[in-house]
Amino acid sequence: MALLLCFVLLYGVADVTRGLSITTPEQSIDKAKGETAYLPCKFTLGPDDHGPLDIEWLISPSDNQKVDQVIILYSGDKIYDNYYPDLKGRVHFTSNDVTSGDASINVTNLQLSDIGTYQCKVKKAPGVANKKVLLTVLVKPSGTRCFVDGSEEIGNDFKLKCEPKEGSLPLRYEWQKLSDTQRMPTPWLAEMTSPVISVKNASSEYSGTYSCTVQNRVGSDQCMLRLDVVPPSNRAGTIAGAIIGTLLALVFIGAILFCCHRKRREEKYEKEVHHDIREDVPPPKSRTSTARSYIGSNHSSLGSMSPSNMEGYSKTQYNQVPSEDFERAPQSPTLAPAKVAAPNLSRMGAVPVMIPAQSKDGSIV
């Protein structure tokens, strides 16, 4: 009876070992953002596994607030990879023939949202097996900057700082001296793995080139720093120079403002003078009044002439008055002269004068 029981137990164990199993152990994988993660899942089938093969990958998000979701599925000789929107187009089987025993997948262009526990589940009735892989996505250190915070003068206190622009924690720091003896100053040894080195009572021996390396589980970055510890500068001269420079700048600005104000006042004065009406200046004589005076003088001349010298009077004298001005002279209304009888004129001693007729063009008829 005992022998029979041992035979049954041995036969059952053999059946279990010959059934479907996943040979890849459970593991944890760390990858950098933007890289590709390989999640292994290799399996073997037993002789009694005759059902259809189904392979299913699921994700349990790291926030533990979402239920497990299928990200890729193989069933009925077809692949379905559009179940999970966050990984759409970024998850693929690594093997072209998953029935050969390789259900591993690649997740490309990793993002921080891809962090979580991935589960590979293989079914082929009556066998069923599954394994889990923990995926952690980290950010590599990058954009690291080394600089001195303080004045690099002998006797001063300042700090050497090493700051990466980005990088997932935890971060490890390592300072090194690259020049001269390549040995870090003794007071700094306790801070060689710190992002900040505090320098007390600096001396010229601290001068040199230093490097700072920042690293985490997925990558590293480095920066360089040149430290020059110099004697104290003449601060009084520097302050005096700064004050003088400031005063000169203020004087220059004041001169510019004064010139602009003066020019503006001159322009304003010129405009006022230009529009001012001068009442003490008599108006210019018009051409009409000139023509009238000219005609009056000629009539006086004609009145004093006798018939004997009328012919000697050149008609060109009449032409001395521009015809245009003569014709355009406005006819101002004049009072008719008072008529005097001929006998009275004789008593008054008047001399009869013959006034020649004048044609339209100004010639004497």
Side-chain angles (χ1 to χ4, degrees), residues 37-54:
Y38 168 71
L39 308 183
C41 181
K42 295 184 178 181
F43 62 93
T44 58
L45 299 175
D48 297 331
D49 299 326
H50 302 294
L53 178 63
D54 293 330

Side-chain angles (χ1 to χ4, degrees), residues 139-203:
V139 178
K140 289 181 180 180
S142 63
T144 305
R145 186 171 68 101
C146 293
F147 61 97
V148 178
D149 184 7
S151 178
E152 306 172 44
E153 295 181 352
I154 295 176
N156 281 0
D157 297 343
F158 52 84
K159 295 180 180 180
L160 308 183
K161 292 187 176 183
C162 180
E163 295 181 355
K165 185 176 181 180
E166 60 180 2
S168 297
L169 301 175
L171 294 173
R172 297 188 301 275
Y173 297 84
E174 183 180 358
W175 288 89
Q176 288 182 335
K177 188 174 184 182
L178 306 178
S179 59
D180 300 332
T181 59
Q182 297 186 354
R183 294 180 59 183
M184 293 289 288
T186 304
W188 302 1
L189 295 179
E191 298 178 315
M192 287 182 58
T193 57
S194 171
V196 179
I197 294 180
S198 298
V199 180
K200 304 293 184 180
N201 191 21
S203 66

Side-chain angles (χ1 to χ4, degrees), residues 83-140:
Y83 285 98
Y84 193 57
D86 290 349
L87 287 174
K88 186 176 181 179
R90 297 194 293 120
V91 58
H92 313 280
F93 284 109
T94 58
S95 175
N96 293 327
D97 182 16
V98 295
T99 60
S100 63
D102 188 0
S104 305
I105 61 172
N106 280 334
V107 180
T108 61
N109 190 22
L110 289 172
Q111 304 298 317
L112 297 179
S113 59
D114 299 337
I115 298 174
T117 301
Y118 292 75
Q119 182 178 190
C120 174
K121 186 180 294 185
V122 181
K123 304 177 185 177
K124 190 172 179 65
V128 177
N130 64 80
K131 284 293 171 82
K132 294 181 179 181
V133 178
L134 176 61
L135 175 63
T136 302
V137 180
L138 302 173
V139 178
K140 289 181 180 180

Side-chain angles (χ1 to χ4, degrees), residues 69-90:
Q69 297 189 43
V70 178
I71 60 174
I72 191 170
L73 174 68
Y74 174 84
S75 179
D77 296 332
K78 291 185 179 180
I79 298 175
Y80 305 91
D81 57 1
N82 57 353
Y83 285 98
Y84 193 57
D86 290 349
L87 287 174
K88 186 176 181 179
R90 297 194 293 120

